[in-house]
Amino acid sequence: MPQHTRSRYVPLSLSLRPRRRSLGGLLGLSLLLASCGGPAGTPAPTTPTATTMQLNGTRVLSPTQVQFGVTPLNGTQTVSGTLSNPAVTFSTAGVSGAVSVCGQVTVQNTVTAAVTLDATGSMTTTDPDKKRRDAAKAFVARMTGGSQAAVLSFEASSTPSAGLLGSVLHQDLTSDQAALNTAIDGATYASGSTNFYDAVVDAVKVASRAGRPGPIVLALTDGLDNSSSNSPDDAIAAAKAAGVPVYAIGLDARNTINFAEMERIASETGGLFRSNVAAGDLDAYFSQLYNAFTAQGCLELKLAAAPAPGTTVAGTLSVDVTDYGKATSRLSVPFSYAVRDTIEPK
């Protein structure tokens, strides 16, 4: 037999013996780990994945289909995790339906937000203490890393900034918190009528023109649009074209204003809507929205039948939140929203 054939054969037979010892060693190691509480004897985790869940707002897709943005929290910190086993109970008589997971928790550490604040004359009544100023500054204070924000105000009596339709740009996108706070001070005045749709188009332009990933618009108003050159459909088209969701807050503590178009703008652009908000709630709600921008999942409610306009649909959403190495958390959060005379999405 040639020499090179023997040299190939001999190492092959020798290599089997160390492999047998290796398997035996692994078996012994496995038994040792099991006896010491290793993988075979590890107790179930007790640290919960999350302790509470916040509801960030609604997205009305149709009279029978509503989505809710939700964020799991550990104390005040946002957490990620897999959402499963959703359930809903209703406290509104005659309303029934089911809930499903429409999106897992998406984590984003960098925020890019154009914040546009209502500066119309009615703000002297609805927000006399300028709580929107404090809320916007608290939002800015939470910005970390590469996060950036811009500050705009809107009302129809002021000359808009160059390139904008109906808004004053007090500060373009920046991470400079001192500059942003100065801009917020300048944005919280009260004069003129409401040009909300123009303000949305302007804010979308500012949020998206730097080309940063995941820009959003955070828009606050206390009334219905009566001065814009743009329509709600124009605002929706601009936001969709730029890929910028609009998160809209209706300042209406008594829930007497029909924010149907504002709600539609938020819903159709992939943002969220929240009304029935008083000035004193703004600080907490701006903070909730910051949480939403950094870690948010989605639960979708499908009703058996469309409730009558004017109905307040209320109840409780529950869902499991699971993360590797932690105990599954069963979390619940109350919800309510007003059924409006909505215009069907186009």
Side-chain angles (χ1 to χ4, degrees):
M1 183 178 292
Q3 181 64 33
H4 71 271
T5 303
R6 288 197 301 271
S7 64
R8 292 176 61 191
Y9 172 77
V10 172
L12 179 62
S13 63
L14 290 174
S15 67
L16 294 176
R17 288 198 294 272
R19 187 172 298 175
R20 289 193 190 99
R21 288 198 298 269
S22 176
L23 291 172
L26 287 174
L27 178 60
L29 178 61
S30 176
L31 293 173
L32 177 62
L33 288 172
S35 68
C36 296
T42 301
T46 57
T47 301
T49 298
T51 54
T52 58
M53 184 169 66
Q54 75 173 36
L55 191 148
N56 304 321
T58 58
R59 184 182 300 128
V60 178
L61 304 182
S62 77
T64 59
Q65 188 177 8
V66 179
Q67 294 180 344
F68 301 91
V70 294
T71 299
L73 302 170
N74 236 330
T76 60
Q77 299 298 312
T78 60
V79 298
S80 61
T82 301
L83 306 181
S84 62
N85 302 319
V88 60
T89 57
F90 294 96
S91 56
T92 303
V95 176
S96 62
V99 66
S100 61
V101 175
C102 50
Q104 293 296 337
V105 178
T106 301
V107 176
Q108 179 174 293
N109 295 322
T110 301
V111 172
T112 302
V115 180
T116 183
L117 302 174
D118 191 323
T120 58
S122 58
M123 297 300 285
T124 56
T125 301
T126 56
D127 186 20
D129 298 323
K130 297 185 178 180
K131 296 294 187 182
R132 65 193 185 282
R133 175 193 60 199
D134 301 335
K137 287 185 176 182
F139 180 94
V140 166
R142 294 194 61 188
M143 291 170 46
T144 59
S147 294
Q148 292 188 0
V151 177
L152 305 93
S153 64
F154 63 91
E155 45 83 19
S157 67
S158 295
T159 302
S161 296
L164 301 182
L165 297 169
S167 307
V168 177
L169 177 60
H170 299 269
Q171 175 60 57
D172 211 338
L173 288 170
T174 182
S175 57
D176 185 335
Q177 296 189 8
L180 288 168
N181 287 334
T182 298
I184 291 166
D185 286 335
T188 44
Y189 61 97
S191 174
S193 54
T194 306
N195 52 351
F196 180 75
Y197 308 144
D198 286 350
V200 169
V201 174
D202 288 340
V204 165
K205 183 176 184 178
V206 171
S208 60
R209 64 188 177 188
R212 289 168 57 84
I216 59 93
V217 163
L218 172 54
L220 166 69
T221 188
D222 73 339
L224 301 181
D225 192 300
N226 56 17
S227 300
S228 284
S229 60
N230 282 272
S231 69
D233 287 335
D234 293 332
I236 291 168
K240 282 185 171 181
V244 178
V246 178
Y247 289 75
I249 304 172
L251 192 57
D252 177 24
R254 293 178 294 177
N255 202 26
T256 57
I257 301 175
N258 185 358
F259 282 120
E261 293 291 8
M262 183 177 176
E263 182 175 68
R264 187 164 73 92
I265 290 170
S267 297
E268 291 193 39
T269 61
L272 294 172
F273 172 77
R274 175 79 174 264
S275 66
N276 204 13
V277 175
D281 301 327
L282 289 176
D283 190 85
Y285 192 56
F286 271 52
S287 178
Q288 289 178 5
L289 280 183
Y290 195 92
N291 289 341
F293 301 151
T294 56
Q296 179 169 243
C298 177
L299 298 177
E300 181 171 294
L301 188 64
K302 289 188 177 180
L303 302 180
T311 303
T312 297
V313 178
T316 301
L317 299 168
S318 300
V319 68
D320 287 346
V321 185
T322 306
D323 197 11
Y324 179 77
K326 296 180 181 178
T328 297
S329 300
R330 184 69 176 173
L331 303 177
S332 298
V333 63
F335 72 90
S336 69
Y337 68 95
V339 179
R340 307 179 191 281
D341 289 312
T342 56
I343 299 172
E344 287 292 326
K346 297 180 180 180

